[in-house]
Amino acid sequence: IEGLDRLVPGRLEPLVIRAGHLVSAAICLFLAYWSAAFAAVSFEQGERAMALDILVWPIKLILPWAFGSAALRYLIFARYPGLEERPEEVV
């Protein structure tokens, strides 16, 4: 991917990084929505784990939380790019 770095002029790099964060946030929000729908179907059907005989929808709630928190993180980095820890360039 290092070769692609040369396609973007240096002055546009902050804009490209911000756009990348916004795209990542949009993907995570999309996945959070669908994973919440996934957990809702398990709730409505009363789905249970066969081996442990426990409800699985509370466990599936981890997915929308994880994707939602990742989306929030990317939105914060898009708004405040200085908060992101970036690895130092290797020469």
Side-chain angles (χ1 to χ4, degrees):
I1 295 183
E2 190 174 308
L4 295 176
D5 289 342
R6 295 187 191 105
L7 292 177
V8 177
R11 60 185 166 83
L12 293 179
E13 185 177 347
L15 183 64
V16 171
I17 291 172
R18 185 169 284 181
H21 288 313
L22 291 174
V23 168
S24 297
I27 291 169
C28 287
L29 287 173
F30 173 78
L31 292 171
Y33 171 78
W34 281 107
S35 61
F38 178 61
V41 169
S42 293
F43 173 76
E44 291 169 359
Q45 295 178 350
E47 190 178 344
R48 300 181 83 78
M50 290 178 17
L52 301 174
D53 195 36
I54 60 171
L55 292 171
V56 295
W57 68 266
I59 297 167
K60 289 181 179 181
L61 286 179
I62 293 170
L63 293 171
W65 175 80
F67 287 123
S69 65
L72 179 62
R73 175 179 177 244
Y74 284 120
L75 288 173
I76 290 171
F77 286 160
R79 176 65 179 99
Y80 304 104
L83 294 178
E84 180 185 19
E85 290 186 25
R86 308 241 359 201
E88 295 190 26
E89 286 191 34
V90 178
V91 181

